[in-house]
Amino acid sequence: MAARNLTPRPLTVEELPPAMAAFIRAQAELRGLDRDPLPETTHGLRTDEETLGPRPGGRGLQTERHTVEMLLTPELLIISYREGGDDGGERIGPTTRVSFHRLAELEVATPPAGMQRRTHGSPPGPPKDALTVTSTPLGATRRTTRHVPTGSGPDVTRFREAVLAAQERA
């Protein structure tokens, strides 16, 4: 079993690595958005995920780093995912992805019980380390559910509340 560490923090558009901001803008244009969504960002959350697990072939351990950034605008939830972290790994690679979710079509859901972290005797509830969203991302043909790693803490709570409030307004 791999050990997992999630480190969330608030994020502004100015803190996005320039390559990631350019990637988001290019993908927004490819998916038919008529304007750059980044200047409209009201809230942001970045989660750095570090996983320590066995190397393929069973020889020792390896550390993998991934970064998830979520940006909220009055109309969209933008979710980006890439390998690397602040140690110079802020790169756009073949596994880098971004999705755009219209708030009017977005559902923030409680994941299935098997996905929920519980302590003995606690009632079921959403996991404290993921934001579960269901929507049809721009450019996609079907509705999907994603469990986006967020970590926990006051910054995550504020971001989740901002998403729920923006979803209600949409």
Side-chain angles (χ1 to χ4, degrees), residues 10 14-15 18 25 35 45 59-60 74 76 78 117 119 138 151 165-166 168:
E14 293 78 24
E15 295 171 315
R25 288 181 178 108
R35 63 188 181 278
L45 183 72
R59 303 187 126 215
L76 298 170
I78 303 167
R117 292 189 176 208
T119 57
L138 293 179
E168 285 294 317

Short mmCIF file of all heavy atoms in Angstrom, two decimals, residues 10 14-15 18 25 35 45 59-60 74 76 78 117 119 138 151 165-166 168:
data_model
loop_
_atom_site.label_atom_id
_atom_site.label_comp_id
_atom_site.label_asym_id
_atom_site.label_seq_id
_atom_site.Cartn_x
_atom_site.Cartn_y
_atom_site.Cartn_z
N PRO A 10 -4.31 27.87 -0.98
CA PRO A 10 -5.04 28.76 -1.88
C PRO A 10 -4.16 29.08 -3.09
O PRO A 10 -2.93 29.04 -3.01
CB PRO A 10 -5.30 30.01 -1.06
CG PRO A 10 -5.01 29.66 0.34
CD PRO A 10 -4.08 28.49 0.33
N GLU A 14 -2.14 34.50 -10.74
CA GLU A 14 -0.76 34.97 -10.84
C GLU A 14 0.24 33.93 -10.35
O GLU A 14 1.41 33.97 -10.74
CB GLU A 14 -0.58 36.28 -10.04
CG GLU A 14 -1.34 37.46 -10.61
CD GLU A 14 -2.85 37.44 -10.27
OE1 GLU A 14 -3.26 36.81 -9.26
OE2 GLU A 14 -3.60 38.05 -11.04
N GLU A 15 -0.20 33.00 -9.51
CA GLU A 15 0.69 31.96 -8.98
C GLU A 15 0.78 30.74 -9.88
O GLU A 15 1.61 29.86 -9.64
CB GLU A 15 0.22 31.53 -7.59
CG GLU A 15 0.33 32.62 -6.55
CD GLU A 15 -0.34 32.24 -5.25
OE1 GLU A 15 -1.47 31.72 -5.27
OE2 GLU A 15 0.29 32.49 -4.21
N PRO A 18 3.67 29.86 -15.62
CA PRO A 18 3.33 30.42 -16.94
C PRO A 18 2.97 29.36 -17.98
O PRO A 18 2.03 29.54 -18.75
CB PRO A 18 4.59 31.19 -17.34
CG PRO A 18 5.23 31.54 -16.04
CD PRO A 18 4.93 30.39 -15.11
N ARG A 25 -5.24 28.31 -21.28
CA ARG A 25 -5.79 29.23 -22.29
C ARG A 25 -5.95 28.52 -23.64
O ARG A 25 -6.97 28.67 -24.31
CB ARG A 25 -4.91 30.45 -22.42
CG ARG A 25 -5.02 31.39 -21.25
CD ARG A 25 -4.13 32.63 -21.43
NE ARG A 25 -4.31 33.51 -20.30
CZ ARG A 25 -3.40 33.70 -19.35
NH1 ARG A 25 -2.22 33.10 -19.42
NH2 ARG A 25 -3.66 34.50 -18.34
N ARG A 35 -13.58 33.34 -24.68
CA ARG A 35 -12.68 34.29 -24.02
C ARG A 35 -11.79 33.53 -23.03
O ARG A 35 -12.09 32.41 -22.64
CB ARG A 35 -13.45 35.39 -23.30
CG ARG A 35 -14.33 34.90 -22.17
CD ARG A 35 -15.22 36.01 -21.64
NE ARG A 35 -16.04 35.58 -20.55
CZ ARG A 35 -17.18 34.92 -20.66
NH1 ARG A 35 -17.65 34.60 -21.85
NH2 ARG A 35 -17.88 34.58 -19.60
N LEU A 45 -7.56 26.72 -5.72
CA LEU A 45 -6.97 25.78 -4.76
C LEU A 45 -5.97 24.92 -5.50
O LEU A 45 -6.26 24.39 -6.57
CB LEU A 45 -8.06 24.90 -4.14
CG LEU A 45 -7.58 23.93 -3.06
CD1 LEU A 45 -7.22 24.68 -1.78
CD2 LEU A 45 -8.64 22.88 -2.77
N ARG A 59 11.65 -3.38 -6.53
CA ARG A 59 12.99 -2.99 -6.05
C ARG A 59 12.95 -1.62 -5.40
O ARG A 59 13.07 -0.61 -6.06
CB ARG A 59 13.98 -2.99 -7.21
CG ARG A 59 14.04 -4.32 -7.88
CD ARG A 59 15.13 -4.37 -8.89
NE ARG A 59 15.94 -5.51 -8.54
CZ ARG A 59 17.23 -5.59 -8.67
NH1 ARG A 59 17.90 -4.58 -9.17
NH2 ARG A 59 17.87 -6.67 -8.34
N GLY A 60 12.72 -1.58 -4.11
CA GLY A 60 12.74 -0.33 -3.37
C GLY A 60 11.45 0.47 -3.50
O GLY A 60 10.43 -0.02 -3.97
N PRO A 74 -17.20 32.66 -12.28
CA PRO A 74 -18.65 32.70 -12.10
C PRO A 74 -19.40 31.67 -12.95
O PRO A 74 -20.54 31.34 -12.65
CB PRO A 74 -19.01 34.12 -12.52
CG PRO A 74 -17.78 34.92 -12.23
CD PRO A 74 -16.64 33.99 -12.57
N LEU A 76 -17.52 28.69 -14.54
CA LEU A 76 -16.78 27.45 -14.74
C LEU A 76 -16.02 27.01 -13.49
O LEU A 76 -15.58 27.83 -12.70
CB LEU A 76 -15.74 27.61 -15.85
CG LEU A 76 -16.18 27.93 -17.25
CD1 LEU A 76 -14.97 28.30 -18.10
CD2 LEU A 76 -16.92 26.75 -17.85
N ILE A 78 -12.54 25.00 -13.34
CA ILE A 78 -11.44 24.53 -14.18
C ILE A 78 -10.57 23.64 -13.30
O ILE A 78 -10.16 24.03 -12.21
CB ILE A 78 -10.60 25.72 -14.71
CG1 ILE A 78 -11.50 26.69 -15.48
CG2 ILE A 78 -9.44 25.22 -15.56
CD1 ILE A 78 -10.84 28.03 -15.76
N ARG A 117 -13.67 7.84 3.47
CA ARG A 117 -12.81 7.47 4.59
C ARG A 117 -13.61 7.60 5.86
O ARG A 117 -14.23 8.61 6.10
CB ARG A 117 -11.60 8.39 4.64
CG ARG A 117 -10.71 8.15 3.47
CD ARG A 117 -9.44 8.90 3.65
NE ARG A 117 -8.61 8.54 2.53
CZ ARG A 117 -7.32 8.54 2.56
NH1 ARG A 117 -6.69 8.91 3.62
NH2 ARG A 117 -6.64 8.19 1.50
N THR A 119 -13.75 6.51 10.21
CA THR A 119 -13.17 5.90 11.39
C THR A 119 -14.26 5.03 11.99
O THR A 119 -15.45 5.23 11.75
CB THR A 119 -12.70 6.97 12.40
OG1 THR A 119 -13.81 7.79 12.74
CG2 THR A 119 -11.59 7.82 11.82
N LEU A 138 -16.58 20.45 -20.94
CA LEU A 138 -16.61 21.02 -22.28
C LEU A 138 -15.77 20.15 -23.22
O LEU A 138 -14.66 19.76 -22.87
CB LEU A 138 -16.06 22.44 -22.29
CG LEU A 138 -16.88 23.49 -21.55
CD1 LEU A 138 -16.20 24.84 -21.62
CD2 LEU A 138 -18.28 23.59 -22.13
N GLY A 151 -7.03 17.25 -0.24
CA GLY A 151 -6.52 17.35 1.12
C GLY A 151 -7.63 17.87 2.01
O GLY A 151 -8.81 17.83 1.63
N ALA A 165 -21.56 27.61 -3.43
CA ALA A 165 -22.28 28.88 -3.57
C ALA A 165 -22.37 29.29 -5.04
O ALA A 165 -23.42 29.75 -5.51
CB ALA A 165 -21.60 29.96 -2.75
N ALA A 166 -21.28 29.14 -5.78
CA ALA A 166 -21.28 29.51 -7.21
C ALA A 166 -22.21 28.58 -7.99
O ALA A 166 -22.91 29.02 -8.91
CB ALA A 166 -19.87 29.43 -7.77
N GLU A 168 -24.94 27.18 -6.82
CA GLU A 168 -26.30 27.63 -6.51
C GLU A 168 -26.68 28.85 -7.35
O GLU A 168 -27.80 28.95 -7.85
CB GLU A 168 -26.43 27.96 -5.03
CG GLU A 168 -26.51 26.75 -4.14
CD GLU A 168 -27.76 25.94 -4.35
OE1 GLU A 168 -28.86 26.55 -4.48
OE2 GLU A 168 -27.65 24.71 -4.40
#
